[in-house]
Amino acid sequence: RAKETGKGRTVVYSVRESSPPQHDISLEAAMFHAVREGEFLLYYQPIVAARTRQIEGFETLMRWKHPTLGMVPPVRFIPIAETNGLINMLGAWALKAACVQLRQFEDIARRPLYISVNISPRQFRSDRFLDVLDDALAFSGTPGERLVLEITEGTLMVDPVHAEAILGKMAERRARIAIDDFGTGYSSLAYLKRFPISVLKIDRAFIKDLPAAEKDGAICNAVLDLAKHLDLSVVAEGVETEEQLEYVASRGCDYVQGYLTGKPMPAHVAMAALKENLYAELLPDELRAGIL
Ligand code: C2E
Ligand code: MG
Ligand code: MG
Ligand code: MG
């Protein structure tokens, strides 16, 4: 599916965008109601240092708790919100709420953490995006360097000239840019040189069959190598087993995020996890070795 076909736009195709979920009219109507009723919430998934498993930050993941349908997954509602424009409002809310939440996380951890927030293509292109970003930082008092904005290759490639300008503005605010689902989009590696990117998130697709899948291993190694030479940090997404963690950690991957080290969780559970993490940190090394 062509994302943008206007004059001067690049036509971008990607695996993910080629098969959008069925556009569900009743779900769309329910969404407007859900916004008014406050049915949207944010979950937080720990991003941990691969070697020590210390929590370094959290990714903010949106949830829709529908009274009868239960939890509606983001793969179902984000594409609809992207189409009808609600994503701008929901995304602005998520960014602001996440920045506020970070301060509470840091109070508990007693050290700097960071918060990672997904930015959809439409939000990224919105004229109001920089105002939304400034508002979230000012309102929460969160320094820009504690914020990571996750965008996909597709978001950059739709309009690279515009993207370059916006990324420059984000860099002025010291917010870091992560490329989400790295390796799954249609893009050119040259953009790693052109744009001020700090983090690559290796997509779960390349992690899930490790260590057995040799080709996936080769791709992970190549990404880690590339990142090392370009001075980027890497997060392995979707790490579910000890073997997967060991595989990426032994090849120099800095951070992991996955069910092994923490599922997406409500803020109060994340705060409990930080307390446990703090407890572990304060133990003498010889005792820590046994529990971590
Ligand atoms: P993403 O940004 O790549 O987020 C990672 C997804 O992988 C999340 O799915 C997370 O729950 C899942 N995940 C993490 N660890 C594991 C694991 O070990 N195993 C497996 N099987 N899955 C794991 P989730 O929460 O369903 O979100 C799906 C996608 O929806 C996100 O992918 C992101 O693209 C989008 N999304 C979520 N929240 C937001 C938001 O606030 N704004 C925007 N624009 N997009 C969002
Ligand atoms: Mg993400
Ligand atoms: Mg991702
Ligand atoms: Mg992913």
Side-chain angles (χ1 to χ4, degrees):
R1 187 170 67 104
K3 195 77 186 126
E4 289 285 348
T5 48
K7 214 170 137 199
R9 300 262 192 201
T10 313
V11 179
V12 176
Y13 295 90
S14 80
V15 180
R16 183 158 299 179
E17 285 160 1
S18 65
S19 53
Q22 289 304 303
H23 194 118
D24 186 329
I25 304 287
S26 59
L27 205 57
E28 168 156 20
M31 267 180 88
F32 286 93
H33 183 75
V35 171
R36 286 192 298 271
E37 295 297 314
E39 292 172 12
F40 288 95
L41 18 138
L42 297 176
Y43 272 30
Y44 299 90
Q45 185 176 29
I47 299 169
V48 310
R51 280 286 166 215
T52 61
R53 301 194 192 191
Q54 173 165 280
I55 297 173
E56 301 294 342
F58 291 90
E59 177 172 2
T60 308
L61 294 160
M62 206 180 289
R63 294 290 179 263
W64 177 6
K65 198 173 182 180
H66 188 281
T68 54
L69 298 175
M71 285 289 189
V72 183
V75 288
R76 286 198 65 203
F77 71 79
I78 298 279
I80 299 175
E82 183 74 11
T83 308
N84 66 20
L86 260 184
I87 194 67
N88 284 322
M89 202 207 70
L90 284 172
W93 162 73
L95 188 59
K96 195 167 181 170
C99 288
V100 170
Q101 187 59 62
L102 176 67
R103 307 311 303 268
Q104 214 178 357
F105 287 159
E106 288 183 325
D107 278 349
I108 290 170
R110 297 165 156 273
R111 59 190 165 85
L113 297 169
Y114 70 88
I115 195 84
S116 211
V117 182
N118 293 289
I119 304 298
S120 84
R122 184 156 176 174
Q123 266 181 289
F124 187 82
R125 282 200 310 274
S126 155
D127 297 336
R128 294 211 45 238
F129 182 65
L130 290 171
D131 291 337
V132 164
L133 177 59
D134 286 338
D135 178 50
L137 293 176
F139 181 84
S140 61
T142 294
E145 63 261 33
R146 301 283 153 71
L147 178 64
V148 175
L149 300 165
E150 299 193 4
I151 58 178
T152 61
E153 295 159 81
T155 299
L156 290 179
M157 302 316 285
V158 169
D159 185 348
V161 176
H162 175 72
E164 193 167 15
I166 298 294
L167 291 180
K169 298 284 184 192
M170 290 177 175
E172 277 172 23
R173 288 148 177 86
R174 312 199 58 198
R176 280 174 291 162
I177 310 302
I179 302 299
D180 204 353
D181 309 333
F182 185 72
T184 63
Y186 177 93
S187 63
S188 144
L189 284 178
Y191 74 84
L192 293 176
K193 189 175 93 175
R194 174 170 176 185
F195 300 125
I197 289 156
S198 305
V199 183
L200 301 180
K201 299 192 76 172
I202 302 182
D203 194 73
R204 189 178 86 86
F206 304 114
I207 305 293
K208 66 178 178 34
D209 298 321
L210 292 179
E214 285 175 24
K215 288 179 181 171
D216 292 332
I219 291 170
C220 288
N221 285 315
V223 172
L224 287 163
D225 240 39
L226 183 70
K228 191 169 141 199
H229 293 294
L230 294 174
D231 200 24
L232 304 170
S233 41
V234 178
V235 179
E237 290 193 296
V239 170
E240 294 184 356
T241 68
E242 292 290 345
E243 291 71 26
Q244 290 164 357
L245 186 141
E246 176 51 32
Y247 187 96
V248 295
S250 68
R251 287 159 178 84
C253 184
D254 317 296
Y255 306 104
V256 302
Q257 176 182 352
Y259 293 172
L260 177 69
T261 50
K263 289 193 171 181
M265 52 187 96
H268 71 275
V269 181
M271 289 192 276
L274 281 172
K275 278 183 196 148
E276 269 176 51
N277 218 242
L278 177 65
Y279 168 77
E281 264 168 56
L282 295 174
L283 286 173
D285 286 343
E286 56 278 24
L287 280 175
R288 266 181 76 172
I291 63 161
L292 292 180

